[in-house]
Every structure is written in structure tokens, then in C-alpha cells.
Amino acid sequence: MIDATGGAFKLVEVVSSPFPTMLQNISSTDSWFGAGAASQNDDGWGDSPEGIPETKLMPQNSQGYVIKPISQIKDIVMIIVERLMQLTTLNEDKTIMMLRKYNWNEEKLKTVWFELEGEDAEIMLRQIGAKFDTKIDESFPFTKATRRDQNSGICAVCYNEFDDGEFAADSLECGHEFCREDWNQYLVAKVNEGFQGCMNAKCLQTECNLKVTHSMYKKHLKEEEFKHYERWFVKSYTDENKNARWCPFKGCEYCAIYQNSGIKDVNCLCGESYCFECGEELHKPASCENLKLWIAKNSSESDSLVWIEANTKKCPNKMCLKPIEKNQGCNHMTCKQCGHHFCWLCLGDWKDHGSATGGYYKCNIYEEAKKSDTRAEFLSLEEQMQRAREELNRFVFHYERFSNHQKSKKHAQDMIGRLNFAIEELRTKQNYTLPELQFLGDTLKVLIRARHGLKYTYVHAYYQKDAELRQISQYSQEMLEKFCEQIDEMLSHFLEVYQAQYIFSTSLTPFYQERDRIISFAKATKQYYENICGIMRM
Amino acid sequence: MQYSSAVVTPRIMKETKLLLEKTPPGVRVTVSEENPRHFLFDIQGPPGSFYEAGIFKVEIFLPSDYPMSPPKALFRTKVFHPNIDKVGRICLDILKQDKWTPALLIEKVVLSIQWLLGAPNLDDPLDTSVADVFKASPEHAEKTAREWVQLYAK
């Protein structure tokens, strides 16, 4: 459990406090934020940071995941390896290779391993490079020259004589001997080659199927070099494993390790939240698929194309066809590109226009074309533009709201500093206790999370095809927006009023009244947020 | 021990000695006078192939971290072959870092290059335009290859 008064956050052990790093600053000596909250449910709202006993490295908790810094992953991996070593009775190196073969999926490995019988297990081990394939001796007799019993006492790589020092002979299980110095140089070269080169390195002998083992790296690399190797080793666990994911936020070195399915939201110890499934920022209630589409839409040029389609016409000069936007003036257009004169409405040559066709601001040709069916093609162009405009408007509508909530969320986050200061003032000058003031931090957290969620309701809504469902969620959306505005205002107001201590120093009642009001609003907001997530999941 | 380009390692000495004393058939070797890591080979085209009777000059250079890194090899004779491009670069697996192993020898590299001449690999071409000719019309490819041998590899 986090020490409520000590203030020393052991980040490693904290799970699921959405903004610990930010809120830590609220009070440097007092952890107001942990006090009295431990009994509440840990639901990702950050009101109860649960500690994990240091002794249990892989605890099962209600979250379904644990968060670990890069420095601890290695230990976790070794615990898994050890556990499986006992089951498979393979040595450490072979167990690691088997685990990698099955993408670190322990269950899969267990199932497969215990179904393998006799010879099949041997074949499997040979395939993954954990056991020497003696057929290689037959197919490539020259490789035998470096085998322990047949070599001439000279290293086939550097041609130095084997000795007991830097040229001491060493080999993998295959018995292809090379000197220590060369093993070191080879392994260093492999580590520098990168992840693939390092984790799939083979024996120095050509055609030998044996993979370089973990213990060989340990034995022949110097301390610094081995640390470099361990980076790739850890990467093998985190990147080849579906149950691990690095925090996607910049500069964060925490990794989430999944333990049971269901929950997709990860509250990283760096203070950010993300979706375990797709690795993007937390995007509830929008689905991963919709988010992907949304991101593609926002970053692609296709939307500028939609805009161009909706707002421009192509110069009718067949040799030019530049898109032209008309932002003011009459229908007489002169293309800047090619100098062609044309009518904006009917796109005909301006030569055919004049007072007879209605002058500069009216085009009879266009009016007639609109009436007659003969210019169907012309009309369909109009319709196309209209549709594109509507689509664009719809996108802009959702996008504007999406980015507005982004801004509001930022605004709420900016309030943390002020809140921090106010709490300290209220505590020291007016003697309110920290548990009494805790609602301020909690409410702000609710506000931030709700703003964040609102942002993504617009992604969801943009892709919602069902009109009825869209209407239902629109209603909840509106309510949530209202509540957010409310508590935003209440908090700002509260900070303004109560920071000036002299106003209410004589009577305490209004403080508690206001406090209760804010708490109930925060509760309602949280409820609406959860409702909206429920509705939108339909 | 750090290998550098100026230093000739025991391995290189031994390999050079072996190459000079027991040169494989169909191969002639010259070691550069300025740089003992620089070799020039005359490789005979394999009998029965499009390249028979041709003598191909191939340059081989041993990088400073040889044998941890593979030797660098380059054709100095123009050759019409799908795995050798216009500037003489060679597409051969053992010349790449991930397939090279330190226990391989220069001799092996040379023999593999000779073997490659006799066995063009159309699945992994370096010069696609040459590979296209080989695929579309093997007769035409043979004719051009033999012409080039007459023109450049004599």
C-alpha cells in the first residue's frame, strides 16, 4: 500500500493511478491523494492507487495487467523461464528458445510440449536450433574439422592455437570449437547487428543449426556488452509476446503485461492511459477500428480532396482543368492558370454570355439547363458537389467537437497546478483536513477523464450508421457535456472564492454545502460517462 | 585483439598461404602488393555453362573486422548474368552479413562465385532486366552471355 503521509511514491508498485506524476506535484510532502481512498473500487478513475507487495512480481490483480519498468522485465522473464524449466525439464537456454518459438505463450507451449512424444520432441528442438542436427556432419563433412575430437588445436576463425587464456576453446552443444576471443567478437558483432541478428545468431560454423544460447552470451560478453544484449532479450519478450505492450507515450519506459482478458484500458504509471488492444491513446467509447479510420482520415490527404471536390470547379478549358474556388464576385471567371474566360454557373465559354443571358450575376443558360433533362451530366456534377459538401460538413462538425474537447481537457489539466496551490492554502490557513479536500482532486480527475471520453464520443458518432442509436447517444453526449461544463465552472468558482480565505473564515457551512454539491455533480458526471460508454458499445 | 585494415591477422596469413599453395582448380589468385587484404582472382567459367572458356576477374577485399564480417567481392569483368549487375556487384547469400559465418573461407567464397556462374538464380535477381531475358528467352540469354564472354572475358 502506498504510504499516505510519507509521500514517497514507489512508482514501480503503483498500479492504475491515471495521473500520479502530475498529481504528485500537488503536494510534495503529503500524499493527499492516497488517503482514505484505499477501500474504494479500483476502476481506473484513479481514486485508489493499489500497491503491490514487492515480493510478488507477477501478482494477479483486478486490473488484469501489471505495469513494469524496463529494468524489471528481465526478472519477470527469468521467473517465467524458471517456472517452465521445472515443467519441461529442459535447461534454461532450451526453455528460452521454446518460449520464443511460441511467442512467450506459456499455455501454448505447455500444451504442445506435453503432447510431443519421444522423437517428435527431438525434432522440434532441432528445428528451433536448440539441439545439434547430426545429419549436418553427413551433408557437410568439412564442418567436422572444427569438432572437438577432430580439430587440430587451432581456431578455424583466427588461426591461433587454442590455449587456456584468451584463445581457450569453447563451443555450443554441437562441439564446433572456436576460441574465446572469437566468440566474444562474434557475439558483439551480432548484438550490434540488431534485434534479429542478435536473437537468431547461430554457431560460428557454417551450416550448423545451433542457435547461440542465452548462457553463451552471458559467458562471453563483458558486462556492458551483456547489458546491450539484454535489451534485445527483453525486447524479444515484450515485442514477440501478444500479452505485453510498451506505453506508446513519448519518453515512457513502462510496459504493461496482460494477465487476463477483458479489460482493454491501461493506466500507465507515466500518467497517460492507452488502449492495450491497438496501442493508441485511450479512446473509449470509440472502437479500435473506428479510431484507426479516424486517424487515417485526419492524416490523409483524402480530406483535402473532399474539400476541393466540395468547393471548387475545374476550369472548363480541356487543356487546363485546374480546380478553381470562387470566393466572391460575379459569375464571369478568368482562370489564373490559363486565362480562359468562363461562366461559374454553367461552365460555358464567357463569349456566349452577355446581357442576353442575364448579365454578370445571372445565367440563363444555367437556369435552362437545370430545368431540362438534356444536361443530366451537368446536374449530376452539381449533385456530386452537393454530396461532397454535406459529407465535409458532417466531418467538420465532428472534428470541431473532437478538437474542442481536446482543448477543454488540456484546460482541465492546466487547472491541476492551481488546484494544488488552493488545497495547500485551505489546509494550512483554514485548517481543512486532507480527506475533506480530497474531493477537489477527485472531481478534477473525473472532469479530465470525462472530457477525454467526450472527445472520442465524436469519433464513435461519426461512424455510427444506425440513426436510432445515434439519437440515444446524442442525448447522453449532450448531458455529459452539460455536466462537464457545470463541474468545470464549479471548480473554477470554488478556487476563486475559497482561496481568498477571509471571505468565509467566519462561517464554515457554505464550504461544506458547496463541497457536497460538487461531489454529487462529479458522481453524476462519472455515471453519465459510464452510461455513454455502455450505450456506444451497443 | 582488434583487427584493423593495416594488420594482417594469423587467419589472413594462413588463408593467403593456403590459397597460393593449394589454389582451387579453375582459379588464379594475385595478392595486392600494397594491401594484403586485397585479392584479385581470375575465375574460369564453369564447363558446360554459358560462361565456359571465359576468364572473369573478381576483386575481393577483406574488411577490418574480417572474419566477423563477410569479404567484399566485385566482378571486374562485364558479365551477362541475372545475379551480377552492371557495376559488378554480386547477389550471393554467403556474402551477406546474416548468412556469412566466420568459419567460412575466402576459398569458399571464390568457389561459390564460380558455382553461381553455372547456376543463375532467377528467383532472386539483382539485375531484373537481365533476369527478364533469361526468363523470356533462354536461347537469347545464352547467345548474349556467350557474346559477352567473347567480347569481355578473354
Side-chain angles (χ1 to χ4, degrees):
Chain A
M1 191 57 56
I2 303 285
D3 185 349
T5 51
F9 273 85
K10 280 188 183 164
L11 270 183
V12 174
E13 275 79 36
V14 183
V15 170
S16 87
S17 42
F19 314 107
T21 39
M22 285 184 290
L23 291 175
Q24 251 182 89
N25 303 331
I26 285 179
S27 159
S28 55
T29 51
D30 296 285
S31 164
W32 58 275
F33 152 97
S39 60
Q40 291 170 22
N41 288 332
D42 194 359
D43 51 7
W45 288 85
D47 37 24
S48 89
E50 292 264 343
I52 298 165
E54 239 168 308
T55 44
K56 276 170 81 180
L57 264 164
M58 294 288 280
Q60 295 286 334
N61 68 14
S62 59
Q63 292 271 324
Y65 62 84
V66 285
I67 295 192
K68 293 289 170 187
I70 191 164
S71 57
Q72 284 191 7
I73 308 268
K74 186 183 69 196
D75 303 329
I76 291 171
V77 178
M78 291 327 282
I79 288 172
I80 297 173
V81 171
E82 209 168 297
R83 189 158 59 216
L84 280 164
M85 270 167 70
Q86 287 163 2
L87 285 168
T88 57
T89 63
L90 292 169
N91 68 15
E92 184 181 281
D93 292 330
K94 290 192 170 82
T95 309
I96 291 174
M97 287 181 201
M98 284 298 285
L99 274 163
R100 286 195 62 217
K101 157 91 180 158
Y102 289 102
N103 296 325
W104 298 92
N105 186 335
E106 286 179 60
E107 291 312 311
K108 182 95 183 280
L109 170 57
K110 278 186 223 164
T111 328
V112 175
W113 184 250
F114 290 115
E115 277 174 10
L116 288 176
E117 281 172 28
E119 183 63 10
D120 288 344
E122 298 282 303
I123 292 171
M124 163 75 80
L125 288 174
R126 278 202 292 271
Q127 272 172 358
I128 63 168
K131 203 170 168 65
F132 181 55
D133 188 350
T134 43
K135 283 207 191 92
I136 285 163
D137 277 349
E138 295 157 30
S139 319
F140 307 97
F142 70 92
T143 62
K144 278 194 273 187
T146 56
R147 291 283 290 277
R148 190 166 299 142
D149 45 352
Q150 297 191 30
N151 69 42
S152 50
I154 285 172
C155 171
V157 169
C158 64
Y159 284 64
N160 287 300
E161 260 176 60
F162 288 136
D163 61 14
D164 295 330
E166 59 178 324
F167 300 118
D170 196 8
S171 70
L172 295 165
E173 270 184 25
C174 54
H176 297 129
E177 285 189 319
F178 302 94
C179 74
R180 239 174 62 185
E181 181 63 26
D182 284 328
W183 271 110
N184 172 263
Q185 292 212 4
Y186 178 65
L187 298 184
V188 168
K190 285 290 160 188
V191 168
N192 290 334
E193 211 180 297
F195 174 64
Q196 290 297 339
C198 174
M199 294 312 292
N200 297 316
K202 287 193 172 161
C203 168
L204 279 93
Q205 181 53 274
T206 322
E207 307 295 344
C208 179
N209 72 317
L210 274 197
K211 261 195 195 160
V212 177
T213 58
H214 184 72
S215 56
M216 206 64 172
Y217 274 112
K218 206 173 197 167
K219 191 164 153 193
H220 289 288
L221 290 181
K222 296 181 186 81
E223 201 182 325
E224 276 308 302
E225 297 159 351
F226 186 67
K227 273 197 187 129
H228 195 167
Y229 161 78
E230 274 184 328
R231 284 217 327 253
W232 299 134
F233 180 63
V234 164
K235 190 181 160 70
S236 147
Y237 174 75
T238 57
D239 291 20
E240 296 172 347
N241 183 349
K242 269 203 207 126
N243 287 322
R245 187 185 276 286
W246 289 108
C247 175
F249 289 90
K250 206 178 156 195
C252 179
E253 295 216 320
Y254 286 106
C255 179
I257 297 164
Y258 220 59
Q259 293 178 324
N260 44 49
S261 54
I263 311 158
K264 287 200 272 182
D265 316 345
V266 176
N267 300 307
C268 185
L269 300 183
C270 68
E272 301 285 0
S273 301
Y274 59 92
C275 170
F276 191 86
E277 202 88 348
C278 64
E280 293 289 344
E281 174 184 62
L282 193 70
H283 54 74
K284 213 162 61 173
S287 67
C288 295
E289 295 79 42
N290 285 348
L291 183 74
K292 218 166 139 189
L293 290 171
W294 180 262
I295 291 171
K297 196 168 177 62
N298 278 296
S299 56
S300 75
E301 280 179 32
S302 70
D303 293 291
S304 339
L305 291 180
V306 171
W307 188 91
I308 289 169
E309 208 182 311
N311 296 284
T312 70
K313 289 181 179 180
K314 288 193 176 67
C315 171
N317 178 2
K318 290 275 187 298
M319 304 301 287
C320 173
L321 299 174
K322 272 264 167 225
I324 293 165
E325 182 197 5
K326 179 179 185 302
N327 48 18
Q328 57 174 333
C330 66
N331 289 327
H332 179 184
M333 304 296 289
T334 310
C335 175
K336 269 201 177 150
Q337 187 75 18
C338 68
H340 180 66
H341 294 262
F342 66 97
C343 166
W344 178 254
L345 286 177
C346 74
L347 295 178
D349 200 315
W350 190 254
K351 274 192 223 120
D352 307 332
H353 291 68
S355 52
T357 62
Y360 283 100
Y361 290 95
K362 197 163 165 271
C363 176
N364 292 338
I365 303 172
Y366 176 71
E367 295 299 323
E368 265 167 49
K370 253 172 55 174
K371 277 179 223 143
S372 76
D373 296 336
T374 50
R375 298 281 296 273
E377 185 197 333
F378 179 71
L379 279 180
S380 83
L381 184 79
E382 287 279 302
E383 263 170 40
Q384 232 176 321
M385 270 182 84
Q386 183 60 30
R387 267 205 302 278
R389 260 198 297 272
E390 276 164 19
E391 173 57 29
L392 186 69
N393 285 341
R394 203 170 74 82
F395 175 68
V396 168
F397 173 88
H398 288 88
Y399 184 75
E400 268 175 11
R401 275 147 192 82
F402 176 84
S403 68
N404 273 344
H405 282 296
Q406 168 72 36
K407 279 180 208 140
S408 305
K409 180 191 163 194
K410 178 89 192 11
H411 171 78
Q413 282 171 330
D414 291 343
M415 230 177 357
I416 290 170
R418 266 200 303 151
L419 195 75
N420 179 19
F421 181 73
I423 288 167
E424 194 54 22
E425 292 268 291
L426 286 165
R427 193 182 67 88
T428 53
K429 296 190 178 145
Q430 301 186 44
N431 296 324
Y432 291 111
T433 65
L434 284 176
E436 273 175 340
L437 294 168
Q438 199 195 329
F439 77 100
L440 287 170
D442 288 350
T443 307
L444 187 56
K445 268 177 266 167
V446 168
L447 179 63
I448 292 170
R449 183 54 75 93
R451 290 279 197 210
H452 183 86
L454 268 172
K455 189 174 127 184
Y456 284 104
T457 59
Y458 283 96
V459 177
H460 179 274
Y462 181 72
Y463 293 105
Q464 176 61 268
K465 296 239 160 51
D466 189 309
E468 207 174 314
L469 284 177
R470 200 163 52 216
Q471 232 172 7
I472 300 172
S473 46
Q474 241 165 26
Y475 172 74
S476 311
Q477 224 173 2
E478 274 167 30
M479 289 308 283
L480 185 56
E481 272 167 357
K482 264 189 207 152
F483 273 87
C484 278
E485 292 306 323
Q486 277 279 357
I487 54 174
D488 199 330
E489 208 185 296
M490 282 160 91
L491 273 180
S492 304
H493 180 74
F494 194 90
L495 290 186
E496 267 168 40
V497 173
Y498 289 92
Q499 227 169 296
Q501 86 186 73
Y502 54 89
I503 299 180
F504 287 100
S505 57
T506 49
S507 161
L508 288 175
T509 327
F511 172 91
Y512 290 106
Q513 273 177 355
E514 189 63 12
R515 175 173 174 269
D516 288 346
R517 216 161 76 87
I518 293 181
I519 289 176
S520 63
F521 264 82
K523 240 186 205 155
T525 309
K526 192 171 154 180
Q527 193 55 47
Y528 270 109
Y529 173 72
E530 270 157 17
N531 281 355
I532 208 164
C533 289
I535 291 168
M536 291 194 163
R537 222 171 273 146
M538 286 196 283
Chain B
M1 174 174 39
Q2 194 62 48
Y3 299 126
S4 87
S5 62
V7 175
V8 176
T9 62
R11 152 116 181 203
I12 293 174
M13 258 182 327
K14 186 81 186 272
E15 270 204 80
T16 310
K17 196 163 163 254
L18 213 73
L19 273 170
L20 293 171
E21 280 168 7
K22 290 187 195 166
T23 315
V27 175
R28 198 162 51 218
V29 57
T30 329
V31 188
S32 159
E33 278 170 24
E34 290 111 52
N35 188 345
R37 287 171 171 266
H38 194 181
F39 298 80
L40 197 68
F41 288 90
D42 289 332
I43 301 177
Q44 210 174 357
S49 74
F50 300 170
Y51 310 93
E52 66 183 336
I55 304 288
F56 299 89
K57 289 195 185 306
V58 174
E59 208 178 341
I60 286 188
F61 182 76
L62 308 179
S64 59
D65 54 349
Y66 178 82
M68 294 306 154
S69 281
K72 305 203 180 313
L74 208 62
F75 264 80
R76 301 314 303 259
T77 305
K78 251 175 96 101
V79 52
F80 192 75
H81 189 287
N83 308 106
I84 299 157
D85 75 1
K86 289 188 184 69
V87 290
R89 286 176 300 196
I90 309 164
C91 182
L92 185 65
D93 59 354
I94 59 162
L95 288 175
K96 291 178 182 150
Q97 184 74 53
D98 56 329
K99 284 285 179 316
W100 168 259
T101 56
L104 279 165
L105 302 171
I106 304 170
E107 185 196 355
K108 267 266 175 306
V109 170
V110 173
L111 291 175
S112 298
I113 290 173
Q114 193 177 37
W115 168 83
L116 182 70
L117 281 172
N121 178 3
L122 292 179
D123 297 329
D124 192 14
L126 188 58
D127 193 323
T128 43
S129 61
V130 175
D132 288 344
V133 177
F134 269 74
K135 277 181 207 161
S137 159
E139 300 81 27
H140 184 64
E142 175 167 6
K143 194 167 159 268
T144 315
R146 287 191 188 277
E147 271 171 22
W148 282 33
V149 169
Q150 291 304 318
L151 280 170
Y152 310 109
K154 281 290 168 189

